[in-house]
């Protein structure tokens, strides 16, 4: 099959950027299909360390087209800053293509994101404050502006005027914040439009033409299964369909083109922002994982909450994404522990759950049931062959594979592109 989807199986930051970069040399196109600048994907290769928010992680390869699909939202300021950063490092963005149907993050979306979080007080979601929720709200409300609206100043002004007629009263009356005028927004956004214009394409048409020409596409997921608006821990989620189904609606490529779905799972677990996290470790072990794994957000710099690997979550991700393959990342980090726990089920009110319970109160009160495995207690970052891993590390992978019901095709043992064990992907 010509298309594959790469998707986060947990609460984000699983190492999607690294694995996308690793495998995207084998694809002709790498397409982001959901989310916006809330994503922070790290790529370390060829002497470059990149933190990418908007541009697909396949940008490092000459001959691979990076595409921002219609399901994404585009923050012009972040996008153009990223293009400048890449070009300053000698990485060309000439082949970047952006869907005309992707929605634009406006300045008032960021204001509303911050103001809404403030209003929620201790119940806040802990968003990245990139304006994601309000931009998708406007999309669904049919009051949003799209990238294609930037092609024509007259249309842009008209649509902006209509959007402000709706948004200004919310800013003023609900949140007691300053409002915007059309001219004020145009002053910054029209110059952005000039720079973005050359990248705008009919991306569904482009992607399908590529498929017809026998070329292959990798869909790079952002965020993750448990942050999906439908399948995640609502309301502590992002505002898009980050699961594999989003690759279809977020790109305009039919599901019959997709063969493999690669789930990315960290060998332990992290989460940024609020919301339930049954296997969270609040003591010394959690701190150690955070230190050794450098668990600080790429987008916000926030300290990530750390916990044990939760096989109930990954098994659920296998179901809702239809995973064919799994990549286990950051296995090297667990070398700092003597023993390792894996959550194999939850208990709540005397009942045992082997899958993520649909009812949120059950999930909130779920107590993890653990199995304890011996650690390997050594540095494995130089290992490139599965059979050269310590026995305990191989057993750990075999156990995760069995619990997920999906083969572990890739294992990563360090942040660099080559710190990888490919078992069955290629
Ligand atoms: P993403 O959002 O899923 O792309 O993940 P992030 O880039 O936000 O976070 C993953 C972090 O782990 C980054 O700092 C990566 O450089 C790093 N990383 C990825 N794979 C490995 C690995 O196998 N071992 C270690 N130690 N770090 C890794
Ligand atoms: P990548 O692609 C981890 C989390 C935020 C917050 C919730 C909603 O790097 O894995 P939003 O700004 O989207 O409205 O925030 O989702 N979140 C992420 N957490 N990695 C991400 O992206 C995330 N994108 C959003 O912390 O809890
Ligand atoms: Mg990230």
């Amino acid at each position: 099959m010509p298309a594959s989807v790469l998707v986060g199986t947990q609460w984000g930051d699983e190492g999607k950027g690294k694995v996308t970069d690793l495998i995207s040399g084998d694809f002709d196109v790498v397409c982001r299909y959901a989310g916006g600048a809330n994503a922070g994907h790290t790529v370390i290769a060829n002497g470059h360390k990149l933190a990418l928010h908007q541009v697909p992680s396949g940008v490092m390869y000459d001959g691979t087209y990076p595409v921002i699909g219609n399901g994404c939202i585009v923050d012009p300021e972040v996008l153009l800053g990223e293009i400048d950063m890449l070009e300053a490092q000698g990485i060309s963005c000439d082949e970047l293509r952006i869907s005309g149907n992707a929605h634009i993050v406006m300045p008032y979306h960021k204001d509303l994101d911050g103001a809404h979080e403030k209003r929620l007080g201790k119940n806040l979601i802990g968003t990245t404050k990139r304006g994601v929720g309000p931009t998708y709200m406007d999309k669904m409300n049919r009051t949003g502006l799209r990238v294609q609206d930037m092609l024509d100043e007259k249309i842009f002004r008209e649509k902006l005027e209509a959007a402000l007629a709706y948004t200004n009263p919310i800013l003023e009356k609900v949140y007691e914040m300053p409002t915007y005028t059309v001219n004020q927004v145009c002053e910054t956004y029209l110059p952005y439009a000039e720079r973005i214009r050359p990248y705008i394409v009919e991306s569904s048409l482009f992607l399908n033409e590529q498929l017809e020409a026998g070329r292959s596409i990798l869909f790079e997921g952002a965020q993750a299964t448990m942050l999906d608006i439908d399948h995640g821990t609502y309301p502590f989620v992002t505002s898009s369909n980050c699961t594999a189904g989003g690759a279809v609606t977020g790109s305009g490529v039919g599901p019959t083109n997709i063969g493999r779905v690669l789930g990315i799972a960290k060998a332990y677990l992290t989460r940024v922002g609020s919301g339930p996290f049954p296997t969270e470790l609040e003591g010394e072990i959690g701190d150690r994982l955070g230190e050794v794994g450098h668990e600080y957000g790429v987008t916000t710099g926030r300290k990530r909450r750390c916990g044990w690997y939760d096989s109930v979550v990954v098994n659920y991700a296998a179901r809702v994404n239809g995973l064919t393959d799994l990549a286990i990342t950051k296995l090297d980090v667990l070398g700092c522990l003597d023993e390792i726990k894996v959550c194999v089920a939850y208990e709540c009110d005397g009942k045992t759950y082997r899958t993520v319970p649909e009812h949120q109160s059950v999930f909130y009160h779920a107590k993890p049931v653990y199995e304890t495995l011996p650690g390997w207690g050594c540095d494995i970052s130089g290992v490139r062959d599965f059979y050269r891993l310590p026995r305990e590390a191989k057993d750990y992978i075999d156990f995760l594979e069995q619990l997920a019901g999906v083969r572990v095709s890739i294992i990563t043992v360090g942040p660099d592109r080559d710190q990888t064990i490919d078992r069955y992907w290629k």
Side-chain angles (χ1 to χ4, degrees), residues 11-13 16 38-41 126-128 223 227 237-238 272 302:
W11 276 284
D13 304 325
K16 297 178 293 294
N38 48 349
H41 293 186
T127 72
T128 58
Q223 289 76 52
L227 291 172
V237 292
T238 190
V272 258
R302 288 177 294 175

Side-chain angles (χ1 to χ4, degrees), residues 28-31 63-68 95-99 199-213 215-217 251-253:
D28 300 299
V29 180
V30 178
C31 176
T64 300
Y65 296 118
V67 175
I68 298 177
E95 297 297 351
L96 176 68
R97 283 153 169 84
I98 305 172
S99 167
Y199 301 107
I200 305 175
V201 295
E202 285 187 40
S203 58
S204 167
L205 183 62
F206 172 75
L207 293 168
N208 282 285
E209 280 173 353
Q210 293 293 310
L211 292 172
E212 275 161 32
R215 290 161 167 262
S216 57
I217 303 174
S251 72
V253 166

